Amino acid sequence: MRLLTRARAGEEPGRGLPSARARFERRAARARRRPLLIALVLTLVTAVVGGVVWLGYFSSLLLAERVEVRGVSTWQARAVRDVAAVPLGGPVMRVDTAAASARLEQDRRWVHVSVSRSLPHSVVIEVTPRVAVLGVRLPSGAVDLYDLEGVAFRTVDTAPTSLPVVSSTGGSASEDGVKAVLQALAVLDPDLRRAVDDVTISGGDRVTFTVAAPGGVRTVRWGGPGDAAVKAKLVALLVKQPGQTIDVTVPEAPVTR
């Protein structure tokens, strides 16, 4: 009994029953404080969010004052602003960016459109303009501009001098007709391409053009899109042969006459 008593008396401080009780009370106190801490954090977060919402949607501190347009030249930026019709003067967070984006997407002059808010006072519009690679002259004399994907996105009175212009006998050219022209111009031998003239789209997608060759001017009936590389090789061969017309509309059965 004495040995047992001495061993307990010699125990290190903080390892006995009183210490366990103290640790339990500390844990209990922390557990009681935890809901209060969570409530405080939630209150602060709610206050911050509420403040941001009030500033952005209802206050006069964050007003939409300007529209920044990126990705186009200055004169194109004016057209973008006109089409987007972003209302200014109200809270910037209440600007309907989706509506502005929808208005811009209805205009085919731009490939990609993005409308966003930029605090404190701006609405930012980023656009990627279509680039004209071909003009199609209409019976009226106006010229439809097409991009590399064959999309008509603008009509002008006069095409840029550097732009190849073809004629359309049936009003606006079809997508297939434009693709056929673009394919022909892309795959023809450079010397032949420089000799091409009077490109015409008829019947929607039937392409014809003339080529100045050593034996005289030849008319090439190219046809629609597809098999462009084969057609180009045939034209390069047949332009050296007698005949005024080269027909490669069916490349498996080319005809000269």
Side-chain angles (χ1 to χ4, degrees):
M1 294 295 291
R2 291 177 181 174
L3 291 173
L4 181 60
T5 303
R6 289 195 186 99
R8 289 180 175 175
E11 286 181 349
E12 295 180 7
R15 300 288 298 275
L17 185 59
S19 178
R21 183 180 297 111
R23 289 197 299 274
F24 174 78
E25 291 176 352
R26 286 196 296 272
R27 286 196 295 270
R30 285 197 297 270
R32 289 191 297 271
R33 289 195 298 270
R34 190 173 294 115
L36 295 177
L37 180 61
I38 293 173
L40 178 61
V41 171
L42 290 176
T43 300
L44 290 174
V45 170
T46 301
V48 170
V49 172
V52 171
V53 170
W54 180 80
L55 284 172
Y57 285 86
F58 302 103
S59 78
S60 59
L61 298 178
L62 301 179
L63 299 180
E65 297 178 354
R66 57 183 171 270
V67 177
E68 298 179 13
V69 180
R70 301 172 184 172
V72 294
S73 63
T74 302
W75 71 268
Q76 288 178 313
R78 288 195 292 269
V80 171
R81 291 189 182 93
D82 290 342
V83 175
V86 175
L88 299 178
V92 67
M93 294 303 293
R94 298 179 70 176
V95 173
D96 191 342
T97 56
S101 181
R103 287 190 288 271
L104 288 167
E105 288 172 353
Q106 290 177 357
D107 194 312
R108 306 186 79 181
R109 285 179 287 180
W110 303 290
V111 180
H112 173 74
V113 174
S114 173
V115 183
S116 60
R117 308 176 189 91
S118 178
L119 298 178
H121 303 296
S122 299
V123 175
V124 178
I125 301 176
E126 297 186 48
V127 297
T128 302
R130 295 187 187 274
V131 178
V133 298
L134 183 72
V136 176
R137 191 177 305 282
L138 306 176
S140 64
V143 178
D144 282 343
L145 302 184
Y146 288 78
D147 70 354
L148 195 58
E149 297 178 352
V151 176
F153 63 93
R154 190 180 174 197
T155 301
V156 296
D157 294 330
T158 304
T161 55
S162 59
L163 194 70
V165 178
V166 304
S167 299
S168 174
T169 61
S172 297
S174 70
E175 182 178 341
D176 282 345
V178 172
K179 285 183 178 179
V181 172
L182 293 176
Q183 290 174 3
L185 295 178
V187 300
L188 281 171
D189 179 89
D191 290 335
L192 276 176
R193 185 167 59 245
R194 285 191 289 269
V196 168
D197 198 4
D198 295 329
V199 183
T200 302
I201 302 173
S202 61
D205 64 351
R206 293 192 295 274
V207 173
T208 61
F209 54 85
T210 61
V211 176
V217 176
R218 309 292 178 82
T219 297
V220 177
R221 300 187 184 281
W222 184 270
D227 300 315
V230 176
K231 291 178 181 179
K233 291 179 180 179
L234 290 172
V235 172
L237 291 172
L238 298 176
V239 77
K240 302 173 184 177
Q241 304 299 321
Q244 298 300 313
T245 301
I246 300 169
D247 191 332
V248 293
T249 55
V250 181
E252 295 82 3
V255 176
T256 59
R257 54 181 180 271

